[in-house]
């Protein structure tokens, strides 16, 4: 794979199945990316170094996923000017509403573009990263147009499969 | 102003004071942008046309703000492959938690990068749009680096002003 | 079946088991209806066209069900003046409270008559559609009166079955 | 005014300012209606009698608004087969989320078409009642079509007023 | 069993396993009681009649349990001056928070003494009914004193069983 | 005033305006009562002693109001077998939902009959205490019947005052 | 084991598996501790005596865990000046948000240092107790430094194991 | 003032009025402390350095307050083994429930002892810090015992002032 343009980081290896949705989406769009396990709480210095070095290493978008008092995306965003996409991980007790609030309610000056809780959010993080890169990459833009058409076609096909005529 | 790169759309003119935070931020970064009032519910065709035409007109990022059953960002995202940044507007009864859920909980395939509820979110939408454009605009990237330093300096200065020594 | 008077639309085929409750209820009342899979996000143009054409095709009530940032009912309501009944689908993390807020908190001018989350709501959507049609259909009104009596009788019978005397 | 087709009932006279939104909307559509104060808790027999008699008196739709453990819409729905539109009133402590849950989470068999919390919901209750009547009243349907166009025109005009060009 | 002093009513026979906790508690205290299935929504007249007749038949306390837009306790309280104890039943999507709000947030003048959601609440409804009767029944008061001592002894014994010395 | 039958206790003198609703209600019913400021947290021994001694001093019902981590009602209930009525006080940040959960979610064996948050709840605590005493006091029962009629008459009068004919 | 410095108390033996996390953590740090089952509601006097005697017996930190209207930590804190760490136990219906509010929203003057809901919170209660003791115990402080390094090393190792290069 | 033992840090100077409650409490107990404005998001390196250096400079407890996606306490805790007390600041839209979840729901290994939202929490942070220091400082322990007595006396006095006899 080429030099990665997107970095996917997560707070725990138990989040990997969720984040594979982001990785698979980026693969579908042919966007080279890397995956790392970081932790704003257990590995703060490594996380800061990683975030600070990302731009220099050619990373253009960072996807960060965490659960509970989910500080990972916010801490990454504190250490870089790259766009940071946050994915709130579903949690056992509070079902990810803690992760959502901790990711989205960022103070002025340090944004995190937050996705839905869980797998839908992870998949969309991949699409959103591609959309960001596509703002300056015509080839990727065409792939996104095709993807949008595929989504619409998918709905049409489901109607056909169920035997629903579509006007 | 040059041809706009960012579009700020909102569901009602009563949201303008909130969205001025986004506009001011973009002005600070020298990013040309336009502002429009749209409505997924009261003006659905105009909204669809606007979203579909945005990319062709040179828009690269759309900031969409709405409150309540806030469909604006999601409907815009349904009609374009540009990155859409959502700003949940604070509402009277539910304080914007309705706006937040309606903006962030998007289904797979159609992301909205969601910001905090209200003015903080609007300001961050401006910063986030600049970060997205900066992924391919070195001059803007330098402005973002300077902005980050200004944020840190601001915290230092506040300590000085309160007479708190900083180690 | 005769020309459909009610249309049941949903955001995904995984919602079908839930929406069968609406369909079965309409069958019980002898109300002809059609079922379609639509999506405000993945199939926005088809959804708009469908909603715009519904009245012309003789549809009188639309039942729309979706989950998460549930825009389907609201987007349908934006494109038609027919009464739209919204069914919030239960979601994995937020249990349908996101769907409920996204469906019910509509802005002034564009109502969605919202039902309970999940299967109870879907069943009631069928009853409510029948009640709407019955406002001008005496035969249907009589069926609804009979249905109400059946509900009451059902409670009486349960007491009998449990051996509870009823005063 | 002609014989009323719609009944607007509410739990307290302090809800009148909210419900005037529904009444004004119905006036705008020329729909004759009546207003009453009822209470599922303080005036249960009167409420039951009123609900049972409504259909016979020519009422075709009932709008019921209440706050807190808002039982009014549900109790009305228990006593009639007319479509009942519920408006959750904003409350002091829980801001109407108690009213929303108490109105919308109806058990299978007894639907309440629930609107947004507060004034938006009250206004939409008026529109929704008109939409229900319009299913069998072509003249009213035309008024609703005109209303929808007025909503769209309103958005266009706001852009003009702010000096925003619309493409 | 003697003439019942307490009535346990519930919205559905599926609530019986929950309400057995109340019944068993009353059996433990030797309080004669009856169990009925009622429904504020499906069986409103029977429910009103039952509530109105309860005092005359010698019932002194009513325990009412329901879920969702739980109107049963409130509707019973509207039709009687006997103390009504409400038990919010756990629901599928909202986990009983809808039932809790619909039961506890009663308007001034018509109280429902609300218990915890689910089985704990049902058990406590039995204890609370006994406490109410005991205000004028010395024999029952002594049983309640003994019950309180048994609760304390139970905690002591658990420590012993785990091998925890108690100072 | 005669020997008090009801005790109203609260966590802070700032709760007095809320609890006056309970006191006024009891005055209306002619029920002698006393008012005290107690605190499960700042005055635990005094609170325990007060609760333990209440039954002996002739108190038959205790109304306990507190806010936040509202332990007062629960701690009183731990120390007495008298029926304890809990009133959740509205709080600044969480609006009393913290008080509600802390009051109502009692473990099995130690019930608190919980009222609505704030003034409505306080007023209803007074009514509920009267209902409890009335289970064995025919004179009080008659007053409660009259009160219920007054509530119904109040609704009728409001319709008259607004000029609404009542069928 | 030496004389205990930390006491772990919980409302029910069903909480033991959760609280073992705290105990294991303290064992890892070599902190002698004791475990007891107490109950603010079922065993109030024993709980008060235990809390009052703890300081005298050499206990320096108390960890208290409970669920629902979780009064245990607050009641302990009312009876001692030792630092009390609260662990909200996950509950069936409200998932521990009731326990969290009941534990954390303490009134001024009587703090409870509250941990996350469930097992994470229990484990952290052990770490936090060690941190408190370490403020005056250099040997324990060194163990905590080593523990922090182990946490960081754990993240590094997970990357290695997944084959992720770390820059 | 002597060398500070406690450090109070907050995310913004607008939090100072809230945090003065903590400072005043520490002054009352004679605990030397320092106050600083830090920010996990705008000043991440300064925050990390400050947290890392605190123990070496003789700080024994850190009180950290922030609002929204409140990362400050968690980030401080990531960089030190001192006990960190978190104070969730009330926010405009979500009223501090975002701050509470972001502060309390910490992952295993990195605890934050969380206080109530807002001023009560800030005051209690001061008391809790004193309790921690008192575990090894007999003089401070005596002050805390006196403080507890003062709290109880305060409740007694309020009863006297209102003219409530206390048994």
């Amino acid at each position: 794979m080429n030099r990665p343009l997107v970095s996917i980081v997560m707070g725990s290896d138990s989040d990997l199945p969720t984040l594979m949705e982001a990785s698979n989406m980026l693969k579908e769009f042919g966007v080279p990316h890397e995956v790392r396990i970081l932790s704003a709480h257990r590995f703060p210095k490594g996380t800061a170094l990683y975030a600070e070095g990302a731009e220099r290493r050619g990373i253009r978008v960072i996807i960060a996923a965490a659960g509970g008092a989910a500080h990972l995306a916010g801490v990454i965003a504190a250490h870089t000017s790259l766009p940071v996409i946050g994915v709130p991980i579903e949690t056992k007790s509070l079902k990810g509403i803690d992760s959502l609030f901790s990711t989205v309610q960022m103070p002025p000056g340090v944004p995190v573009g937050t996705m839905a809780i869980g797998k839908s959010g992870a998949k969309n993080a991949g699409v959103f990263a591609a959309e960001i890169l596509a703002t300056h990459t015509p080839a990727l833009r065409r792939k996104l147009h095709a993807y949008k058409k595929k989504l619409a076609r998918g709905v049409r096909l489901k109607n056909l499969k169920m035997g629903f005529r579509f006007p």
Side-chain angles (χ1 to χ4, degrees), chain A:
Chain A
M1 205 189 251
N2 296 333
R3 200 169 140 166
L5 293 173
V6 175
S7 156
I8 302 175
V9 302
M10 68 203 78
S12 157
D13 54 346
S14 66
D15 302 337
L16 254 178
T18 303
L19 270 300
M20 283 315 290
E21 300 279 338
S23 175
N24 289 340
M25 212 64 233
L26 289 171
K27 274 180 201 152
E28 191 175 328
F29 291 123
V31 176
H33 58 281
E34 65 182 29
V35 179
R36 292 291 178 278
I37 295 166
L38 293 176
S39 168
H41 296 124
R42 291 186 304 277
F43 192 41
K45 287 186 193 177
T47 300
L49 281 174
Y50 181 86
E52 283 168 13
E55 188 179 328
R56 210 170 39 239
R57 290 192 303 110
I59 297 291
R60 295 210 170 150
V61 182
I62 300 179
I63 295 168
H71 294 186
L72 187 56
V75 163
I76 298 268
H79 286 281
T80 183
S81 289
L82 295 176
V84 176
I85 304 173
V87 181
I89 297 289
E90 192 179 312
T91 47
K92 191 171 171 300
S93 308
L94 297 183
K95 299 296 168 200
I97 199 154
D98 45 356
S99 324
L100 174 58
F101 288 169
S102 302
T103 303
V104 80
Q105 287 293 81
M106 292 290 289
V110 190
V112 168
T114 305
M115 300 288 124
I117 300 167
K119 286 201 171 182
S120 301
K123 187 173 182 181
N124 275 347
V127 180
F128 199 61
E131 287 180 354
I132 289 173
L133 295 173
T135 55
H136 298 79
T137 320
L140 195 48
R141 212 180 293 184
R142 280 190 296 274
K143 284 184 195 167
L144 282 163
H145 291 178
Y147 176 68
K148 243 186 162 54
K149 277 183 194 141
K150 200 182 78 175
L151 289 177
R153 211 163 42 235
V155 177
R156 278 187 188 282
L157 281 171
K158 275 186 181 166
N159 281 288
L160 279 178
K161 225 169 60 184
M162 315 301 281
F164 303 154
R165 264 167 326 125
F166 205 82

